[in-house]
């Protein structure tokens, strides 16, 4: 026997002279055995007896191979193999005193002894509690089990999924991990299922014989039965939950029917909510596709019949029944449609160009529109399995507006066709409303453009440029206007206004306000007087709308500018040196409210070469971020850096600074104010001589 000492430090490979031994304190719960170079056990701690059951009297002096379940080496050869392997953590099967085996994690630490290099075997008793089986065998069990197994964390996210459950859910394992279970499964009542999962994760409840009907990612339903139970750590705290799931196949047909019905109702509900937000036909198609793909179909294409766009709703047209009754074998030939799906995500467009160019309808769509019937078809896609499609007509008030084509692999069943008809009915109503809205908007824009000045007067000392941008969220055109009037005595009158409201009424009111302001400027009224008279005008219109207005009169000889505001944002003055400030004036209330307000003039001196920027509130409002007036004006102030740039460049820079989420149309009116050069006698004579 060799006398040893046990220093208190972790085991590591180092040399010990006779009488010294690397070890760890016995009170750390370490099982320790000393093996000499010949492979004989020379030291056996009480913890080693606890771990294996071998008493020291039965083990000391014997070859270390007696501890191996299936020894392939003995004596010095086995010691040499273990020394060469290093002192990393090993996992081996150990033969116990009662003949059983257990998996043990241990270290083999080389030591220098008198007779040569031996080793110390060290194993932690506490470290063995979680290794009471072969980890590789456990992994094989989990992955080879025909029963679906899953582990969820406290946030209901997948942490483990075996292959059986991945196949059952129709998604690969990687598509599960880290995702919430409700994002992977399409369940009839997601909130109820989440509440049940919370009862397990938060309350520690075990739920057995749970029957669930769900929808796979490819749209096919399945029924399953399972058990949910909490997972606890060594201290008994719940750290997650596990699920054991078994496919029922067709044994629970009523669950599958319930899942299909619930899924159909939820899909139609989401479609109705999405379509209610579409104010133009392109956005209607885009929102429909966003809801239906991939939940219901692989692709959804909406084709709008070209004739439906320009038809007069007041004129009688052939109903769907009349169209179907008169359809011949070639009735679909020559049909042209607007493929709305191609315009999804195209951004803001002018109302006249908000539809993609018309093209010839495909054979299934043409047949569907001509026959006003559901038409099945087949789509062959390269390098993919064949897709099956269904074309469904769009009918609104008995009129055919176009067709929707759904495609997906695997085809559709009769219940799917019923769902398509419901989808088509909702979509047709939304498109019909959008077309009506579009016609009214185009009429409003046409009227507004006709009422605005065709061109601005050519005044060398007061050049002007303007921009008008309809609202980008699909609302009707408003009542924005601008105008320039050249006045006697080297003066110029500038007005800009915004009628409260949208549509034809606002455009008509805008025309009245603009023509009245122009006439009042022509008779020589100052800005405050003009707004006071404009507020008191009564032309007998029952639907006259209030309006904000800014009026300025500039004297090109002296540089004096008089300004009056009626509830309108103050203009911005950009000086030749690039500094910019707002021109203050008493804002007063909007005109047309019947308040009999007397508007006051504000007086300013404008340096020659300054830019006067007039605008409507659509240039500075951002309702999504609650941008206030001062912040909006500051954005415009920072947009102009070079006052000597062309007015078109200045307008473009200011329009680029406009908030993208403004809900109102925007008008911009920029004038470069210089001075009138006095005409001397010499200049006059030289001019006459030429």
């Amino acid at each position: 026997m060799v006398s040893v000492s046990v220093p208190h430090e972790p085991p590591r490979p180092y040399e010990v002279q006779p009488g010294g031994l690397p070890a760890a304190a016995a009170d750390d719960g370490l099982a320790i055995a000393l093996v000499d170079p010949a492979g004989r056990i020379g030291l056996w701690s009480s913890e080693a007896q606890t771990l294996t059951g071998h008493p020291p009297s039965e083990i000391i002096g014997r070859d270390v191979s007696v501890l191996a379940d299936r020894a392939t080496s003995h004596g010095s050869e086995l010691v040499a193999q273990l020394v060469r392997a290093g002192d990393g953590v090993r996992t081996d099967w150990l033969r116990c005193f009662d003949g059983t085996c257990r998996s043990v994690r241990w270290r083999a630490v080389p030591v220098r002894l008198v007779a040569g290099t031996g080793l110390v075997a060290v194993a932690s008793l506490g470290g063995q509690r979680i290794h009471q089986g072969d980890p590789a065998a456990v992994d094989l069990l989990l992955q080879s089990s025909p029963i679906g197994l899953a582990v969820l964390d406290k946030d209901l996210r997948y942490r483990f999924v075996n292959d059986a459950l991945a196949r059952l859910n129709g998604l690969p394992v990687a598509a599960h991990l880290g995702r919430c279970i409700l994002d992977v499964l399409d369940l009839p009542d997601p909130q109820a299922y989440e509440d049940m999962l919370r009862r397990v994760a938060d309350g520690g409840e075990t739920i057995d014989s749970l029957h669930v009907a769900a929808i796979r990612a490819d749209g096919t339903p399945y029924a399953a039965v399972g058990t949910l139970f909490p997972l606890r750590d060594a201290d008994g705290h719940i750290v997650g939950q596990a699920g054991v799931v078994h496919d029922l196949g067709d044994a629970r047909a009523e669950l599958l029917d319930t899942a299909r019905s619930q899924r159909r109702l939820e899909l139609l509900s989401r479609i109705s909510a999405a379509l209610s937000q579409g104010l133009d036909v392109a956005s209607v198609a885009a929102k429909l596709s966003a809801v239906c793909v991939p939940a219901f179909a692989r692709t959804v294409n909406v084709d709008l019949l070209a004739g439906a766009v320009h038809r007069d709703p007041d004129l009688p047209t052939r109903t769907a029944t009349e169209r179907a009754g008169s359809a011949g074998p070639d009735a679909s030939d020559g049909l042209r449609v607007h493929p709305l799906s191609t315009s999804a995500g195209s951004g803001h467009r002018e109302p006249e160009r908000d539809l993609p160019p018309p093209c010839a309808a495909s054979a299934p769509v043409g047949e569907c529109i001509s026959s006003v019937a559901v038409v099945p078809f087949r789509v062959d896609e390269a390098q993919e399995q064949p897709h099956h499609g269904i074309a469904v007509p769009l009918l609104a008030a008995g009129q055919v507006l176009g067709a929707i084509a759904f495609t997906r692999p695997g085809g559709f069943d009769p219940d799917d066709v019923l769902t398509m008809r419901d989808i088509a009915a909702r979509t047709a109503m939304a498109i019909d409303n959008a077309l009506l809205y579009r016609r009214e908007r185009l009429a409003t824009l046409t009227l507004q453009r006709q009422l605005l000045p065709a061109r601005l007067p050519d005044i060398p000392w007061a050049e002007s440029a303007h921009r008008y941008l309809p609202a980008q969220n699909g609302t009707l055109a408003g009542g924005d206007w601008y105008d320039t009037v050249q006045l006697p005595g080297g003066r110029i009158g500038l007005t800009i206004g915004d009628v409260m409201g949208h549509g034809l009424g606002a455009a008509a009111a805008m025309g009245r306000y603009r023509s009245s302001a122009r006439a009042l400027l022509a008779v020589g009224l100052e800005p405050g007087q003009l707004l006071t008279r404009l507020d008191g005008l009564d032309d007998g219109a029952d639907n006259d709308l209030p309006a904000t207005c800014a009026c300025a009169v500039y004297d090109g000889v002296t540089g004096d500018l008089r300004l009056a505001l009626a509830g309108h944002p103050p203009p911005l003055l950009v000086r030749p040196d690039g500094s910019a400030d707002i021109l203050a004036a008493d804002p007063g209330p909007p005109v047309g409210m019947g308040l009999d307000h007397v508007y006051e003039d504000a007086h300013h001196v404008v340096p020659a070469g300054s830019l006067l920027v007039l605008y409507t509130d659509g240039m500075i409002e951002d309702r999504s971020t609650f941008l206030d007036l001062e912040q909006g004006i500051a954005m415009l102030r920072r947009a102009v850096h070079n006052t000597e740039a062309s007015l078109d460049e200045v307008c473009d820079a200011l329009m680029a600074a406009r908030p993208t989420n403004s809900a109102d149309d925007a008008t911009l009116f920029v004038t470069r104010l210089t001075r009138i050069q006095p005409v001397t006698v010499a200049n006059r004579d030289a001019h006459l001589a030429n």
Side-chain angles (χ1 to χ4, degrees):
M1 299 294 293
V2 179
S3 174
V4 298
S5 62
V6 185
H8 293 277
E9 60 181 67
R12 56 188 176 86
Y14 63 99
E15 295 185 354
V16 176
Q17 299 300 324
L21 176 69
D27 57 1
D28 286 338
L30 297 180
I32 300 175
L34 176 65
V35 182
D36 65 17
R40 293 185 299 272
I41 299 174
L43 175 66
W44 191 255
S45 69
S46 59
E47 288 81 7
Q49 180 179 353
T50 301
L51 181 64
T52 66
H54 291 286
S57 59
E58 296 292 334
I59 201 71
I60 292 178
R62 300 185 63 182
D63 193 275
V64 69
S65 61
V66 300
L67 296 174
D69 178 37
R70 294 179 180 179
T72 57
S73 302
H74 306 273
S76 59
E77 181 183 356
L78 178 57
V79 172
Q81 290 178 358
L82 293 173
V83 170
R84 287 195 301 269
D87 70 336
V89 177
R90 302 171 54 91
T91 302
D92 293 305
W93 287 100
L94 188 70
R95 178 69 61 179
C96 298
F97 184 69
D98 60 2
T100 62
C101 292
R102 67 178 300 179
S103 178
V104 176
R105 289 166 55 88
W106 66 289
R107 287 177 179 268
V109 183
V111 293
R112 290 283 293 276
L113 302 175
V114 175
T117 301
L119 60 85
V120 174
V122 182
S124 171
L125 294 183
Q128 310 304 321
R129 296 193 183 101
I130 60 173
H131 296 284
Q132 298 177 355
D134 183 1
V138 174
D139 186 63
L140 288 174
L141 170 65
L142 295 177
Q143 295 299 339
S144 302
S145 171
I147 305 298
L149 304 172
V151 173
L152 309 178
D153 62 14
K154 293 279 287 184
D155 295 327
L156 309 183
R157 294 173 299 191
Y158 284 105
R159 286 295 178 246
F160 169 80
V161 174
N162 71 343
D163 293 337
L165 185 60
R167 289 191 299 269
L168 183 62
N169 290 343
L171 290 172
V173 172
H176 289 74
L177 300 180
R179 296 180 63 190
C180 178
I181 185 173
L182 299 178
D183 294 331
V184 173
L185 298 178
D186 187 355
L187 298 162
D189 192 346
Q191 186 59 52
Y193 197 77
E194 181 178 4
D195 294 342
M196 181 175 55
L197 294 172
R198 287 294 176 195
R199 283 159 44 196
V200 179
D202 299 336
E205 182 178 346
T206 296
I207 300 176
D208 199 4
S209 299
L210 172 65
H211 289 80
V212 177
I215 306 296
R216 296 184 178 91
D218 61 0
T220 59
Y222 73 93
V225 61
T227 298
L228 299 174
F229 55 92
L231 297 176
R232 302 179 185 272
D233 59 15
D235 298 325
H237 299 133
I238 299 175
V239 295
Q241 63 182 290
V244 181
V245 185
H246 179 64
D247 188 8
L248 286 177
D250 296 331
R252 292 282 178 171
E254 65 274 13
L255 282 176
L256 299 180
D257 291 340
T258 301
R260 291 190 186 98
S261 299
Q262 186 69 30
R263 179 172 178 262
R264 176 175 177 268
L265 292 176
E266 290 180 354
L267 177 66
L268 294 176
S269 177
R270 293 197 300 269
I271 288 174
S272 296
L275 294 181
S276 66
Q277 302 173 8
L279 294 178
D280 59 86
V281 290
S283 65
V284 167
K287 292 179 182 299
L288 175 67
S289 179
V291 175
C292 290
V293 177
F296 181 72
R298 178 68 61 86
T299 64
V300 176
N301 296 311
V302 180
D303 291 318
L304 177 63
L305 188 62
V309 177
H310 306 290
R311 70 179 179 89
D312 188 343
D314 297 327
L315 295 178
T317 57
R318 290 192 302 168
T319 64
T321 303
E322 294 170 342
R323 179 185 291 272
S326 61
D330 299 325
S332 62
D333 293 344
L335 282 179
R336 298 183 67 79
V337 295
H338 296 277
L340 299 183
S341 300
T342 61
S343 62
S346 59
H348 174 71
R349 294 183 177 182
E350 292 295 328
E352 300 88 342
R353 295 182 291 275
D354 60 346
L355 295 175
C359 61
S362 64
V365 170
E367 181 182 352
C368 174
I369 294 175
S370 299
S371 63
V372 198
V374 173
V375 175
F377 60 94
R378 185 181 178 91
V379 179
D380 294 323
E381 297 184 353
Q383 299 179 352
E384 289 191 15
Q385 59 179 313
H387 283 46
H388 298 270
I390 299 286
V392 185
L394 291 169
L395 300 174
Q399 307 298 325
V400 181
L401 302 182
I404 307 179
F406 303 86
T407 68
R408 75 179 181 200
F412 300 92
D413 58 28
D415 288 339
D416 292 330
V417 176
L418 291 177
T419 302
M420 293 177 193
R421 289 185 178 274
D422 282 339
I423 294 174
R426 288 166 167 78
T427 305
M429 183 179 299
I431 289 179
D432 193 44
N433 290 335
L435 289 175
L436 179 62
Y437 201 87
R438 181 178 185 270
R439 286 189 289 269
E440 184 178 351
R441 188 175 188 222
L442 288 174
T444 302
L445 287 173
T446 301
L447 176 60
Q448 185 183 39
R449 290 165 181 166
Q450 292 297 323
L451 294 175
L452 290 175
R455 62 180 183 85
L456 297 175
D458 185 12
I459 305 175
W461 49 271
E463 297 177 287
S464 297
H466 70 280
R467 294 288 188 274
Y468 172 73
L469 185 65
Q472 297 189 19
N473 65 348
T475 56
L476 285 172
D480 288 7
W481 87 86
Y482 58 90
D483 203 356
T484 300
V485 179
Q486 188 169 4
L487 304 174
R491 296 183 305 148
I492 185 174
L494 306 169
T495 60
I496 191 169
D498 183 5
V499 176
M500 297 182 182
H502 297 87
L504 290 171
M510 176 271 288
R512 293 193 295 270
Y513 280 122
R514 174 183 170 262
S515 59
S516 299
R518 187 177 184 85
L520 293 173
L521 277 173
V523 298
L525 294 187
E526 295 295 340
Q529 297 173 328
L530 181 147
L531 294 181
T532 301
R533 293 290 300 272
L534 200 62
D535 180 57
L537 287 178
D538 183 6
D539 59 0
D542 295 332
N543 59 344
D544 208 6
L545 299 172
T548 67
C549 183
C551 179
V553 174
Y554 173 71
D555 191 324
V557 176
T558 63
D560 291 340
L561 184 140
R562 294 187 177 275
L563 173 69
L565 301 176
H568 201 85
L572 183 68
L573 183 69
V574 184
R575 300 180 183 87
D577 61 1
S579 62
D581 287 304
I582 62 173
L583 295 183
D586 180 11
V591 297
M593 299 186 68
L595 300 179
D596 297 327
H597 183 78
V598 177
Y599 297 86
E600 300 292 338
D601 288 346
H603 177 262
H604 299 276
V605 177
V606 177
S610 299
L611 299 178
L612 181 66
V613 181
L614 298 167
Y615 52 91
T616 58
D617 55 4
M619 285 291 300
I620 57 175
E621 289 182 345
D622 187 347
R623 299 183 182 180
S624 64
T625 57
F626 303 102
L627 193 69
D628 61 27
L629 180 64
E630 292 183 359
Q631 291 173 322
I633 295 175
M635 291 174 58
L636 296 183
R637 181 187 291 123
R638 293 191 296 268
V640 181
H641 304 288
N642 182 13
T643 58
E644 295 182 359
S646 68
L647 292 183
D648 286 336
E649 293 176 353
V650 173
C651 287
D652 292 341
L654 289 168
M655 294 303 293
R658 175 180 181 261
T660 57
N661 293 320
S662 178
D664 201 359
D665 45 358
T667 298
L668 177 67
F669 190 33
V670 181
T671 304
R672 178 178 281 116
L673 302 175
T674 58
R675 293 284 193 275
I676 299 176
Q677 297 298 326
V679 179
T680 63
V681 175
N683 290 337
R684 183 193 61 189
D685 294 342
H687 177 72
L688 294 176
N690 293 331

